[in-house]
Amino acid sequence: MPQIIAVLDFGSQYTQVIARRVRECNVYSRIYHYATPASELEKDGVCGVILSGGPSSVYSPKAPLPDKAVFDLGVPVLGICFGIQLMGHLLGGKVAPGQQREYGLGTISQDGICPLFKALPESFKVWNSHGDKLISLPEGFEARARTENSEFAAIENASRRFYGIQFHPEVFHTEHGVDIIRNFLMGICGCVGDWSMANYIEASVAAIRQQVGDKHVILGLSGGVDSSVAAALIHKAIGRQLTCVFVDNGLCRKNETAAVEKLFKDNFNMDLRVAKAEDTFLSALAGVTDPEKKRKIIGKVFIDVFDDEVKKIGDVDFLAQGTLYPDVIESVPIENNPASLIKSHHNVGGLPEKMKLKLLEPLRELFKDEVRRLGKELGLPDNVIWRQPFPGPGLAVRCLGEIRKDYLDILREADAILLEVMKAATDKDGKSWYSKVWQSFAVFLPVKTVGVMGDERTYDYVIALRIVESVDAMTADWARVPYDILAKASSRIINEVKGVNRVVFDISSKPPATIEWE
Ligand code: XMP
């Protein structure tokens, strides 16, 4: 069992960032609902607690409050932003409603005696975002740092090992933020920092073997990062007790099925079944133009095809999925909490319910960057690990309106050219533009426009290029790629793809547009 740091979530948009920063220090962290009973944390053996920030005021009748017994666990506690106010409020200090929100960069000066700031400069820049502020300290606490606006920017109760900071050490703008977190973990909580991907694989392989026993597992492989890493990990644990199913729905990108077969069947020697179901999907989609209807049909046919494939395998007990930690964490329903508005979406869904299988989700505890590290450790190639996201319904949401095989073939060719161009073009540091952006793809517009080729007039289709930057797909902006890339992609698509005589570039941001066109 690794050492665990509990992050109590009071609804900050940065809660997950705190948890990730802790893991970057090679210490395992877990996010808990703010009101989790202290006894549960004790049972889990946590060796330190971090109280996250949050949008509430401690004086609001709806303020989220922790189980006060958290302060009696005997483990160090670090309160961040709203967390420091909670400490002040619950342990006998005083918090004043802020007249003015302190937001943005400030400078703290610290005394040089607090272990949180060990080996750090006396003064550095920190990121603030709070309304209320602590105005008198609870008993046993001392001020350890101040800003222009606050004499209690950092506080310490050394004997109980309680610490509070008014600013956000987890955000990128705070200088030495990770050092502060590391000081808390290593210097104060006594963590040793042995959470690593190699250890994770070892523990996870043992856990999978124990959970699965001699039973059989199936996994729907999409070729994306998550399902590929899940497949590689489970395969390492139970070999051919795992069967992967790749559904070729006719909506895949060029050469996709062959690439998946080559990697998993040939390289990894997995039991991979490819369900060739192009005709089934395309006939179910024939004549359908409404985007939501298209999605629903694809989801339903996928389940049917997958189910048929599983029946052919025989006795199966487990369905493996590449669910990640951010899909599992439930956002706390707190007033003003922007995080609680963000819903997980776009799930094909319905599989586990229909198939009555037990779930095996070996990536449930990992963030995306950890999944990539795990994939690398398991020997997956970079082109899988660093693959851009691809929607479940595939090219169906990029082939506008009615889906036809001839449209899809045009789209596949154009898309492959754009990807080639994006992968070949590098910036001044040698990084490919494909890896710099969030997504880059072609969209087929069933619109004909007039062109001229040689002496002839043409009347052909339009391809739109969509290249976006984003951090989490919730918002996005069109990427300012060099004109040369657009020029090259456009001229190659028009010259090489029969049926296309015009290429346009999508310059819409999300919101109000979405990343996909449907
Ligand atoms: P939008 O178009 O909503 O896309 O801005 C946000 C992100 O989600 C992906 N996406 C989907 N993924 N099934 C999926 O698995 C879907 O139906 C779907 N629609 C959009 C999209 O590629 C982008 O990364």
Side-chain angles (χ1 to χ4, degrees):
M1 193 65 187
Q3 292 176 309
I4 299 181
I5 291 291
V7 181
L8 292 194
D9 182 11
F10 293 92
S12 165
Q13 57 179 320
Y14 300 126
T15 301
Q16 288 195 26
V17 185
I18 300 174
R20 283 173 55 177
R21 293 281 176 270
V22 171
R23 292 189 185 188
E24 280 165 27
C25 299
N26 297 326
V27 174
Y28 182 61
S29 63
R30 195 179 281 164
I31 295 173
Y32 291 83
H33 184 276
Y34 63 84
T36 304
S39 56
E40 196 174 307
L41 303 183
E42 190 166 31
K43 206 166 77 213
D44 288 354
V46 306
C47 62
V49 175
I50 298 179
L51 312 175
S52 84
S56 306
S57 161
V58 287
Y59 289 116
S60 159
K62 291 188 188 149
L65 299 177
D67 177 359
K68 255 187 102 171
V70 163
F71 295 107
D72 301 324
L73 283 174
V75 301
V77 180
L78 171 66
I80 294 175
C81 193
F82 177 72
I84 190 179
Q85 289 152 23
L86 272 177
M87 271 184 158
H89 182 63
L90 296 173
L91 301 178
K94 207 162 166 23
V95 174
Q99 308 295 0
Q100 223 181 349
R101 215 175 155 72
E102 189 180 6
Y103 185 81
L105 273 184
T107 305
I108 64 158
S109 315
Q110 55 102 4
D111 299 344
I113 46 174
C114 179
L116 269 187
F117 302 124
K118 190 172 162 203
L120 299 189
E122 259 175 35
S123 153
F124 53 92
K125 297 248 181 305
V126 299
W127 182 259
N128 292 296
S129 171
H130 57 95
D132 295 354
K133 76 176 189 195
L134 192 60
I135 51 165
S136 89
L137 290 180
E139 212 186 299
F141 278 80
E142 305 275 354
R144 295 296 185 218
R146 51 208 57 79
T147 65
E148 306 82 25
N149 298 314
S150 164
E151 48 180 320
F152 303 125
I155 59 170
E156 172 180 28
N157 179 331
S159 64
R160 298 185 76 185
R161 296 182 297 164
F162 291 167
Y163 296 82
I165 45 184
Q166 183 77 85
F167 56 90
H168 288 275
E170 71 279 17
V171 308
F172 171 74
H173 310 282
T174 293
E175 292 174 351
H176 309 293
V178 177
D179 297 325
I180 294 171
I181 292 172
R182 190 176 295 112
N183 281 338
F184 177 68
L185 301 173
M186 311 302 181
I188 297 167
C189 299
C191 297
V192 290
D194 57 358
W195 159 259
S196 71
M197 272 310 136
N199 287 350
Y200 182 81
I201 292 176
E202 208 177 298
S204 187
V205 160
I208 293 168
R209 283 189 186 142
Q210 164 148 45
Q211 191 182 352
V212 172
D214 59 357
K215 303 284 192 251
H216 205 87
V217 179
I218 46 150
L219 179 145
L221 196 60
S222 72
V225 186
D226 306 344
S227 65
S228 299
V229 175
L233 179 61
I234 298 169
H235 182 254
K236 188 175 173 69
I238 57 169
R240 291 183 78 90
Q241 274 170 265
L242 168 72
T243 299
C244 293
V245 176
F246 179 83
V247 175
D248 180 349
N249 55 11
L251 304 163
C252 306
R253 280 165 296 188
K254 192 177 173 185
N255 297 334
E256 178 133 34
T257 310
V260 167
E261 277 194 290
K262 185 161 181 293
L263 176 63
F264 292 99
K265 218 176 198 157
D266 302 349
N267 276 14
F268 274 87
N269 191 26
M270 277 188 204
D271 177 17
L272 170 68
R273 318 279 170 101
V274 175
K276 294 218 177 332
E278 179 179 32
D279 292 345
T280 317
F281 278 87
L282 296 195
S283 47
L285 286 166
V288 181
T289 54
D290 179 72
E292 281 313 301
K293 269 199 195 127
K294 281 161 65 171
R295 273 200 176 75
K296 286 219 169 74
I297 291 172
I298 293 165
K300 186 182 167 307
V301 177
F302 178 87
I303 292 174
D304 292 345
V305 171
F306 194 83
D307 206 14
D308 285 349
E309 210 50 48
V310 174
K311 285 198 186 106
K312 287 186 211 156
I313 299 167
D315 270 353
V316 172
D317 289 85
F318 288 91
L319 173 72
Q321 288 188 330
T323 316
L324 305 194
Y325 197 36
D327 310 326
V328 178
I329 304 166
E330 283 181 30
S331 50
V332 287
I334 289 178
E335 46 172 359
N336 315 325
N337 178 6
S340 71
L341 299 176
I342 300 171
K343 291 256 175 330
S344 69
H345 69 326
H346 300 316
N347 212 335
V348 178
L351 259 177
E353 295 83 11
K354 164 144 186 179
M355 305 187 72
K356 301 197 181 69
L357 295 170
K358 286 178 244 161
L359 273 183
L360 180 66
E361 299 180 310
L363 311 181
R364 268 179 82 85
E365 293 174 359
L366 302 184
F367 289 109
K368 190 85 176 188
D369 49 331
E370 294 173 319
V371 169
R372 293 208 164 98
R373 288 204 334 255
L374 175 60
K376 187 140 190 84
E377 193 98 9
L378 289 165
L380 286 170
D382 279 356
N383 65 1
V384 172
I385 293 171
W386 292 105
R387 203 155 199 218
Q388 292 174 356
F390 186 66
L395 297 183
V397 292
R398 297 177 180 173
C399 180
L400 303 195
E402 185 189 2
I403 308 270
R404 286 181 11 192
K405 174 137 168 51
D406 55 337
Y407 289 175
L408 289 169
D409 286 340
I410 291 176
L411 175 55
R412 264 189 277 270
E413 291 303 319
D415 191 62
I417 290 173
L418 176 64
L419 285 192
E420 243 180 78
V421 171
M422 291 293 287
K423 284 183 175 171
T426 49
D427 68 3
K428 59 179 180 359
D429 302 322
K431 205 164 173 217
S432 84
W433 274 90
Y434 174 84
S435 61
K436 276 169 74 84
V437 301
W438 175 262
Q439 273 172 297
S440 48
F441 55 86
V443 181
F444 177 86
L445 312 188
V447 176
K448 284 192 160 185
T449 73
V450 173
V452 51
M453 232 176 232
D455 292 335
E456 273 183 47
R457 176 183 175 279
T458 57
Y459 189 50
D460 279 330
Y461 293 110
V462 182
I463 286 288
L465 305 181
R466 183 77 163 138
I467 309 179
V468 296
E469 283 175 351
S470 175
V471 181
D472 54 8
M474 302 307 298
T475 63
D477 199 5
W478 57 279
R480 273 50 168 183
V481 291
Y483 284 160
D484 286 353
I485 293 182
L486 299 177
K488 180 135 207 176
S490 161
S491 82
R492 277 196 57 194
I493 290 170
I494 292 171
N495 282 312
E496 296 173 33
V497 184
K498 212 162 164 289
V500 177
N501 66 357
R502 192 176 296 272
V503 171
V504 297
F505 183 47
D506 180 350
I507 50 169
S508 333
S509 65
K510 172 183 180 175
T514 49
I515 295 177
E516 304 291 345
W517 276 43
E518 279 195 344

